[in-house]
Amino acid sequence: MEPLTHLDIIKRKVVDLNQLQHLIYRWRFLSKKIVFTNGCFDILHLGHIDYLAKASDLGDILVLGVNSDASTRGLKGPNRPINNEEQRSVFLASLHFMDAVIIFDDPTPIELIKIVRPDVLVKGSDYNLSNIVGADIVQSYGGQVKTIDFLPGYSTTMIEEKIISGRK
């Protein structure tokens, strides 16, 4: 058997629901603290890296739900995503601190949150506790809900506007 390439290792972190359930079971058996967050992550930029690295620091395992192409279009409009769900998932899985990436098609990650049962649910600080999907569920079993401040000056929308306008 040939050794795994780096790309093989990265792609193995992009999982389906069945694979995720097996991973969750193993991580729970090993008493790992699981952190969950989600988003579109259309054009990966420094703000995303900052946010995800800080989310990862809140536990032992980072699970990321990535909005599917259809879900992203529903949230961001007909011109998005710029990168398709497979590309976005592999980009994100390549981060050394990322443990699992799963694509979800629903408008919200509520079903994933019910399955993962994270110890820590993370969203950006543009959300407050009352509008974080799944916060009530996570808190009901003693989990934590945390927000992380965004790195100022970085957003996919800003990058998209710069490209369209031709600004540097």
Side-chain angles (χ1 to χ4, degrees):
M1 188 159 96
E2 292 190 33
L4 292 175
T5 66
H6 285 92
L7 188 57
D8 292 332
I9 293 165
I10 290 167
K11 286 183 174 183
R12 282 187 173 195
K13 291 197 270 180
V14 180
V15 298
D16 63 25
L17 196 53
N18 186 49
Q19 292 167 316
L20 181 62
Q21 288 172 315
H22 287 287
L23 288 169
I24 296 293
Y25 179 80
R26 185 170 77 211
W27 293 328
R28 291 276 174 230
F29 179 77
L30 297 170
S31 300
K32 299 293 185 182
K33 185 176 184 180
I34 299 172
V35 178
F36 177 85
T37 192
N38 68 281
C40 299
F41 300 96
D42 193 0
I43 297 176
L44 199 58
H45 55 71
L46 185 58
H48 289 141
I49 302 301
D50 181 80
Y51 171 80
L52 292 169
K54 288 175 180 173
S56 176
D57 287 339
L58 297 173
D60 304 310
I61 299 292
L62 179 59
V63 177
L64 177 64
V66 174
N67 292 77
S68 69
D69 292 346
S71 178
T72 300
R73 260 188 303 283
L75 293 168
K76 304 290 185 176
N79 295 328
R80 301 277 292 278
I82 294 165
N83 290 302
N84 69 37
E85 61 195 43
E86 180 185 355
Q87 292 168 334
R88 291 181 285 129
S89 297
V90 172
F91 293 159
L92 292 158
S94 72
L95 300 171
H96 75 91
F97 51 77
M98 190 67 62
D99 296 287
V101 177
I102 183 166
I103 299 166
F104 68 98
D105 208 27
D106 299 320
T108 74
I110 192 72
E111 295 306 317
L112 272 179
I113 291 167
K114 289 176 182 175
I115 291 166
V116 174
R117 290 183 55 91
D119 299 292
V120 184
L121 174 62
V122 179
K123 286 302 285 181
S125 62
D126 55 332
Y127 287 83
N128 59 49
L129 199 57
S130 65
N131 65 3
I132 295 176
V133 171
D136 54 337
I137 294 168
V138 172
Q139 289 176 321
S140 75
Y141 57 77
Q144 298 177 303
V145 180
K146 304 268 187 179
T147 59
I148 295 175
D149 290 336
F150 288 126
L151 196 60
Y154 294 92
S155 79
T156 301
T157 302
M158 287 174 58
I159 293 170
E160 184 181 27
E161 288 170 359
K162 280 174 82 172
I163 292 167
I164 291 168
S165 72
R167 287 182 290 130
K168 290 185 179 185

